[in-house]
C-alpha cells in the first residue's frame, strides 16, 4: 500500500498559511518580557601580574555568585597575558563598554561589574533640552513665573466673607 505525499509546493503553501498567524517578535522592552540590555560580560586578567591580584581574588570568591544570580548574562573568564585586568560588557544594541580594574580592590570590583550590568548600552550624551518632543510647543514650556496675575484657589465660604 503506497502512502500519499503532497507535492512540495503544496507543503510550502500550507506551512506559509500556518505561519502567517505566528509573527516573529523583535526583542523590545514592554513587549512580552523584559529584555536585559547587558548580554555578556568578559573578565580578562593576567595570571602573573600584580595588578590582576584583586581580579583573581574576585573571580575565585564572588564571580560564581554573580553568574548564578544573573543567568540572563553570559559570563566569560579569559586570561590576557601581560595586560592589565579589564571587565568588558557587550549590550543588545551592539555597543560594548570596557573598564580597567587594575587599581580597584576586590571589594570595588563588584561595584564596577554592577555598573556595567545596569548600563543601558547607549552612549552617554548631554540633553540640552529638558523636554524631548517631535513637535515643539509654540508657547514654550509653562512656568508659573511667567503669569502676571496670581491665581487664588478659594471656596465659596471665603468668597461670602469678603
Amino acid at each position: 500500500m503506497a502512502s500519499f505525499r503532497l507535492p512540495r509546493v503544496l507543503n510550502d503553501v500550507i506551512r506559509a498559511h500556518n505561519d502567517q498567524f505566528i509573527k516573529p517578535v523583535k526583542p523590545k522592552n514592554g513587549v512580552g518580557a523584559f529584555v536585559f540590555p547587558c548580554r555578556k560580560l568578559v573578565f580578562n586578567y593576567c595570571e602573573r601580574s600584580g595588578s590582576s591580584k584583586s581580579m583573581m581574588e574576585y573571580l575565585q570568591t564572588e564571580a560564581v555568585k554573580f553568574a548564578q544570580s544573573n543567568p540572563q548574562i553570559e559570563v566569560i573568564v579569559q586570561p590576557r597575558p601581560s595586560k592589565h585586568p579589564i571587565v568588558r560588557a557587550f549590550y543588545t544594541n551592539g555597543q560594548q563598554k570596557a573598564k580597567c580594574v587594575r587599581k580597584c580592590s576586590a571589594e570595588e570590583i563588584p561595584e564596577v561589574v554592577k555598573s556595567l550590568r545596569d548600563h543601558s548600552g547607549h552612549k552617554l550624551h548631554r540633553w540640552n533640552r529638558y523636554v524631548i518632543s517631535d513637535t515643539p510647543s509654540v508657547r514654550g514650556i509653562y512656568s508659573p513665573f511667567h503669569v502676571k496675575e496670581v491665581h487664588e484657589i478659594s471656596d465659596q465660604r471665603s468668597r461670602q466673607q469678603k
Side-chain angles (χ1 to χ4, degrees):
M1 186 167 173
S3 64
F4 178 72
R5 285 181 51 190
L6 289 173
R8 188 173 189 181
V9 176
L10 280 176
N11 279 335
D12 292 343
V13 169
I14 292 170
R15 191 176 301 120
H17 177 71
N18 291 336
D19 290 344
Q20 78 182 12
F21 299 110
I22 303 170
K23 295 181 180 178
V25 178
K26 292 182 182 178
K28 282 195 267 185
N29 285 331
V31 178
F34 175 71
V35 179
F36 213 74
C38 182
R39 65 178 177 85
K40 179 166 64 171
L41 279 172
V42 179
F43 295 91
N44 295 113
Y45 69 99
C46 177
E47 296 172 349
R48 293 175 292 192
S49 72
S51 62
S52 294
K53 192 176 187 180
S54 60
M55 174 65 107
M56 289 190 295
E57 185 180 331
Y58 170 77
L59 292 174
Q60 291 171 353
T61 58
E62 298 182 37
V64 175
K65 294 176 194 169
F66 175 80
Q68 289 174 346
S69 63
N70 297 291
Q72 70 276 11
I73 299 175
E74 180 183 358
V75 177
I76 298 173
V77 178
Q78 291 178 338
R80 190 172 169 229
S82 303
K83 302 283 185 182
H84 289 299
I86 61 170
V87 181
R88 192 176 292 135
F90 295 87
Y91 299 98
T92 54
N93 63 355
Q95 297 288 333
Q96 62 176 308
K97 190 174 182 181
K99 288 232 177 164
C100 182
V101 289
R102 69 172 179 202
K103 292 184 179 180
C104 295
S105 65
E107 292 81 28
E108 294 170 347
I109 293 177
E111 296 171 13
V112 172
V113 172
K114 185 175 182 265
S115 71
L116 288 172
R117 179 197 69 185
D118 295 341
H119 187 66
S120 66
H122 296 290
K123 295 207 175 215
L124 298 177
H125 53 77
R126 186 167 183 232
W127 295 99
N128 292 331
R129 297 184 181 137
Y130 296 110
V131 178
I132 301 167
S133 174
D134 294 338
T135 55
S137 172
V138 176
R139 295 175 155 184
I141 299 172
Y142 171 78
S143 172
F145 301 111
H146 295 144
V147 179
K148 293 180 182 176
E149 300 174 6
V150 177
H151 298 285
E152 294 181 11
I153 299 173
S154 59
D155 55 357
Q156 291 181 352
R157 287 186 214 156
S158 61
R159 289 184 191 168
Q160 292 173 358
Q161 292 175 359
K162 288 184 181 179

